[in-house]
C-alpha cells in the first residue's frame, strides 16, 4: 500500500525562525513526503538547507497552497493576514507564528503540552503563541491543575534573537564598536542593547504596558481557559543572543510547597527541573540555547503571601518559543487525524 502523501510548506523559509522550522521538521522526522519553502519574490530561487540536501525557495503567492496539507508561517503578521486565509480556503491548515491570529476567537492558540484538545474543530488557522508565553505556560499549567493559580507576576529577560536577525546583528555590531572605542550605532532598539537592559519590547499602549506584556496577559488566559488567572508582566530586552529567561511569582488557591512543585514539574511534559542552589544549579540561557526543553529552577516559597511560589524559567525562544512549538502542533494535527478544513472560506472576507 502506498504511503499517504503529506505536503508541508514553510512560509518565510529564509528567515531565522523559518530555517529553524525546516531544521526541526527534519530532525524530528516529521512524516512529510514533500517540504516546500516559500518566501518573498526577492528570495525566490535561492536555496535553504534541509537535512543533507537543499530546497529551492518558491515565491509566495495567494494561489500556491492547493495540494499543500500544512503550511507553517513565520513571515510576520501582515504576511499572515494576507496569505493565511487563502491557504485555509485551499484546504491547507495554517500554523501561524505571528501575532495576527492569536486572539481571534475562530483560531485556537495552542501549546501542545498544555491544551492540544483546542485543535479539535479548528477552522484552518491555528496560532502559535508568543515565545515568552509558551515557555511560561508549559511550566504553569501542571501547577495550575494541581493547585489553581490565581495570580502571576512575571518579569522576562528576552534575547535579541526575538527581534530576528536584525537584533542579533545589532548586538554583535555594538559590542565590536564599543571594544574599538567607537560610539555604538542604534538602529533596531530604542537604546543601546550592548551591555544594557531595555525594559521596552514592542510598542507602548495606553495603559503604559507594552504590546509584548499584554500579549502575555491575554494569551495566558486564552491558553489556560481560565479568566480567573490574573497576569501582570514586565518584558525586558537583554544582551543575550538566544534564550529567554523569566522570573515568575505565582499565587495559588491551595498551598504548594516547593518540594511538591518540583515533583509536579519533574513529571510535566516538556519541562526539565534543574534546581539545586547549593551546587549552583539553575537554568541558564546559554545552556538552553539549541535545546527543546523548558527549564525550571530556583523553585522556592514566597513567604510574603500564604500560597506563593517563585521560579526561574528558561527556554530557547527560537526553538520552543517558535519553531518547535509550531512543528509540535503539526505533529498533533497528524496524530489526531485533523488534516483538512471543514469550512474553507471562513477567513475570506465576503
Amino acid at each position: 500500500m502506498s504511503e499517504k502523501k503529506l505536503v508541508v510548506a514553510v512560509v518565510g523559509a529564509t528567515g531565522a525562525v523559518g530555517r529553524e522550522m525546516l531544521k526541526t521538521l527534519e530532525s524530528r522526522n516529521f512524516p512529510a513526503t514533500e517540504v516546500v519553502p516559500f518566501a518573498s519574490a526577492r528570495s525566490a530561487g535561492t536555496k535553504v538547507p534541509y537535512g543533507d540536501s537543499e530546497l529551492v525557495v518558491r515565491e509566495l503567492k495567494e494561489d500556491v497552497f492547493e495540494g499543500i496539507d500544512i503550511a507553517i508561517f513565520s513571515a510576520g503578521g501582515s504576511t499572515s493576514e494576507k496569505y493565511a486565509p487563502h491557504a485555509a480556503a485551499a484546504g491547507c491548515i495554517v500554523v501561524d507564528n505571528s501575532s495576527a491570529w492569536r486572539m481571534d476567537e475562530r483560531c485556537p492558540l495552542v501549546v501542545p503540552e498544555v491544551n492540544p484538545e483546542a485543535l479539535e474543530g479548528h477552522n484552518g488557522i491555528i496560532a502559535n503563541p508568543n515565545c515568552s508565553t509558551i515557555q511560561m505556560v508549559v511550566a504553569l499549567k501542571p501547577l495550575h491543575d494541581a493547585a489553581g493559580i490565581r495570580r502571576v507576576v512575571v518579569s522576562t529577560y528576552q534575547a535579541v534573537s526575538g527581534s530576528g536577525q536584525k537584533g542579533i546583528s545589532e548586538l554583535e555590531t555594538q559590542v565590536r564598536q564599543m571594544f574599538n572605542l567607537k560610539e555604538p550605532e542604534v538602529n533596531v532598539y530604542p537604546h543601546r542593547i550592548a551591555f544594557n537592559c531595555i525594559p521596552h519590547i514592542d510598542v507602548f499602549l495606553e495603559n503604559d504596558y507594552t504590546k509584548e506584556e499584554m500579549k502575555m496577559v491575554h494569551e495566558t488566559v486564552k491558553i489556560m481557559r481560565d479568566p480567573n488567572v490574573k497576569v501582570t508582566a514586565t518584558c525586558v530586552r537583554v544582551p543575550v543572543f538566544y534564550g529567554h529567561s523569566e522570573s515568575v511569582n505565582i499565587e495559588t488557591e491551595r498551598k504548594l510547597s516547593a518540594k511538591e512543585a518540583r515533583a509536579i514539574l519533574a513529571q510535566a511534559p516538556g519541562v526539565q527541573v534543574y534546581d539545586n542552589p547549593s551546587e549552583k544549579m539553575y537554568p541558564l540561557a546559554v545552556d538552553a540555547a539549541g535545546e527543546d526543553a523548558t527549564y525550571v529552577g530556583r523553585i522556592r516559597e514566597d513567604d510574603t503571601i500564604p500560597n506563593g511560589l517563585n521560579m526561574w524559567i528558561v527556554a530557547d525562544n527560537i526553538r520552543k518559543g517558535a519553531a518547535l512549538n509550531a512543528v509540535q502542533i503539526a505533529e498533533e494535527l497528524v496524530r489526531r487525524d485533523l488534516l483538512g478544513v471543514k469550512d474553507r472560506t471562513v477567513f475570506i472576507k465576503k
Side-chain angles (χ1 to χ4, degrees):
M1 191 168 77
S2 62
E3 182 187 30
K4 184 179 178 181
K5 189 176 182 183
L6 180 59
V7 182
V8 177
V10 174
V11 177
T14 57
V17 175
R19 288 173 182 269
E20 191 67 27
M21 286 172 172
L22 290 167
K23 180 180 174 182
T24 305
L25 285 167
E26 192 275 333
S27 66
R28 290 176 68 87
N29 297 312
F30 188 84
T33 52
E34 184 181 1
V35 176
V36 184
F38 287 104
S40 63
R42 68 177 179 274
S43 296
T46 62
K47 295 181 179 180
V48 289
Y50 184 75
D52 296 328
S53 61
E54 291 182 319
L55 302 175
V56 178
V57 176
R58 303 182 191 178
E59 181 181 352
L60 179 63
K61 298 179 181 178
E62 293 178 355
D63 60 354
V64 298
F65 295 100
E66 199 70 44
I68 294 173
D69 298 290
I70 301 172
I72 305 176
F73 275 60
S74 184
S78 59
T79 299
S80 294
E81 287 174 353
K82 180 177 179 180
Y83 293 99
H86 293 281
C92 171
I93 301 175
V94 172
V95 181
D96 181 48
N97 194 53
S98 79
S99 62
W101 304 98
R102 289 176 188 159
M103 300 312 297
D104 191 308
E105 61 184 16
R106 299 168 294 179
C107 303
L109 183 65
V110 177
V111 178
E113 296 94 336
V114 176
N115 64 333
E117 69 284 349
L119 292 170
E120 302 286 346
H122 69 81
N123 293 303
I125 298 178
I126 296 149
N128 210 32
N130 185 40
C131 48
S132 323
T133 306
I134 289 172
Q135 68 186 67
M136 185 172 75
V137 298
V138 166
L140 293 192
K141 184 56 162 57
L143 300 178
H144 181 57
D145 290 343
I149 294 174
R150 284 296 159 255
R151 186 167 187 256
V152 180
V153 181
V154 54
S155 297
T156 71
Y157 307 85
Q158 298 182 216
V160 294
S161 52
S163 305
Q165 185 58 49
K166 65 182 184 294
I168 296 170
S169 298
E170 178 123 314
L171 177 56
E172 290 175 338
T173 300
Q174 288 181 358
V175 169
R176 281 198 303 269
Q177 288 170 334
M178 293 185 72
F179 273 117
N180 285 288
L181 303 179
K182 295 180 180 178
E183 185 68 23
E185 298 173 11
V186 176
N187 298 306
V188 176
Y189 300 112
H191 304 280
R192 188 190 90 206
I193 185 61
F195 310 106
N196 196 20
C197 298
I198 306 173
H200 174 189
I201 299 177
D202 213 321
V203 297
F204 280 101
L205 304 174
E206 288 185 0
N207 63 357
D208 288 337
Y209 282 77
T210 64
K211 192 174 180 181
E212 180 82 358
E213 290 159 353
M214 295 311 297
K215 285 177 189 175
M216 295 193 75
V217 172
H218 297 310
E219 291 177 22
T220 299
V221 173
K222 182 174 180 178
I223 293 165
M224 296 179 70
R225 300 178 69 180
D226 188 344
N228 293 316
V229 177
K230 306 302 181 185
V231 182
T232 185
T234 300
C235 294
V236 183
R237 187 72 69 191
V238 296
V240 170
F241 286 113
Y242 296 97
H244 288 353
S245 304
E246 298 174 346
S247 172
V248 181
N249 175 276
I250 64 171
E251 186 174 358
T252 56
E253 289 183 349
R254 179 179 73 81
K255 174 72 174 177
L256 265 183
S257 69
K259 182 178 180 181
E260 186 179 359
R262 286 189 197 97
I264 291 168
L265 290 168
Q267 300 299 316
V271 174
Q272 284 197 23
V273 175
Y274 194 70
D275 191 20
N276 188 349
S278 65
E279 297 296 326
K280 299 182 178 62
M281 287 175 57
Y282 32 73
L284 298 173
V286 291
D287 296 328
E291 301 295 327
D292 290 347
T294 295
Y295 296 88
V296 185
R298 297 297 318 279
I299 302 166
R300 61 205 188 277
E301 292 165 38
D302 177 359
D303 296 331
T304 67
I305 51 176
N307 301 337
L309 281 175
N310 290 301
M311 67 190 77
W312 179 251
I313 303 171
V314 181
D316 185 326
N317 54 296
I318 300 297
R319 286 190 67 80
K320 182 54 185 169
L324 174 62
N325 199 77
V327 172
Q328 286 176 308
I329 290 172
E331 291 171 344
E332 194 70 20
L333 288 166
V334 174
R335 190 181 74 80
R336 291 173 177 255
D337 195 22
L338 295 175
L339 300 182
V341 182
K342 283 183 261 184
D343 182 356
R344 293 186 169 205
T345 61
V346 68
F347 295 101
I348 296 292
K349 293 180 180 178
K350 299 293 192 291

